[in-house]
Amino acid sequence: MFALAHAAVARWWDEALHWQEEEEEIWPHRLHRLAGGNAGKDLERWRIVGRDAAIFPEVVTVAQAAGADDGQAGLAGKRGDAASGAGR
């Protein structure tokens, strides 16, 4: 289930390039943070290498909502809280 959730969210990530800027605020902000504060002229490179880290919290949420029972979502959820900045 976790792999399916990852595939679905990765597809949303690819489509997000065509969304209006007002529609998506979380992923661009998270991607810039992963790039050290500003991806700048390397944005395309950061979109490729930073994708999995940027979408991880959403992948965990989708896997949990889909009832992932393979244990990966539960383990990932513990890591996902730290990756998303939850609790800060």
Side-chain angles (χ1 to χ4, degrees):
M1 191 58 70
F2 190 80
L4 181 60
H6 181 269
V9 177
R11 175 71 178 177
W12 297 336
W13 170 267
D14 292 339
E15 291 178 5
L17 273 179
H18 307 291
W19 297 344
Q20 299 296 323
E21 286 186 32
E22 302 84 39
E23 291 182 48
E24 180 52 51
E25 296 178 4
I26 295 171
W27 285 342
H29 177 72
R30 197 177 296 155
L31 186 61
H32 285 291
R33 285 182 45 208
L34 288 167
N38 187 357
K41 64 181 180 174
D42 291 329
L43 180 62
E44 283 303 310
R45 182 176 72 89
W46 277 104
R47 278 193 47 80
I48 295 167
V49 300
R51 181 195 74 182
D52 285 350
I55 67 173
F56 190 75
E58 287 79 10
V59 171
V60 171
T61 301
V62 170
Q64 289 174 337
D69 59 357
D70 57 9
Q72 291 181 357
L75 177 62
K78 292 175 186 171
R79 292 184 195 148
D81 292 342
S84 67
R88 289 186 187 166

